[in-house]
Amino acid sequence: MIRQATPADAPACAAILNAWIDATPWMPRVHPPEDVLRHYRETVLPTRRVWVAGHPVCGFLALDEGDGMITALYLAAPARGRGLGRSLLDGAKGTARRLALWTFQANDGAQRFYAANGFRATAHTDSDNEEGLPDLRYDWAAP
């Protein structure tokens, strides 16, 4: 159910992220959907380790292995609450001694999810991102 992404998965990953942005009232749309797709095709999939869940793809996690930064973890709405996010996160944990990520302060669900999976909040910003939203850094270290 979890596998390494291929270039052919870029449209599914971009569609999941675009749907999340469109369904999240507090999230501004900074880039049009076609730019998100281009970013996944040209940057994310070629430069990061990306795992996808489901067939068809209903979730994904992108990891910058150079610094252990999770740059994306998104699930399609119908796939949430079924353990896929935890499975994707466990896959990333299996490749690194330390992981980090940023999530928006408004995203209470993500904060609960990361805390329940052994991450702890270690830093915050008032809006030091392209969305202009306050965010939190979460870190995890292998036992």
Side-chain angles (χ1 to χ4, degrees), residues 55-114:
H55 185 71
V57 173
C58 59
F60 70 97
L61 181 146
L63 173 66
D64 182 334
E65 292 183 295
D67 61 5
M69 184 65 66
I70 295 172
T71 59
L73 173 52
Y74 292 95
L75 298 172
R80 295 179 196 144
R82 297 168 45 198
L84 293 175
R86 178 169 284 127
S87 293
L88 288 163
L89 198 54
D90 287 346
K93 286 178 175 180
T95 68
R97 303 277 310 142
R98 297 184 174 281
L99 295 171
L101 59 91
W102 289 91
T103 191
F104 297 106
Q105 288 184 29
N107 196 342
D108 295 329
Q111 292 173 52
R112 286 190 302 276
F113 172 76
Y114 293 121

Side-chain angles (χ1 to χ4, degrees), residues 5 27 33 46 52 64 79 82 106 120 138:
M27 183 67 179
V52 294
D64 182 334
R82 297 168 45 198
R120 56 185 191 87
Y138 278 81

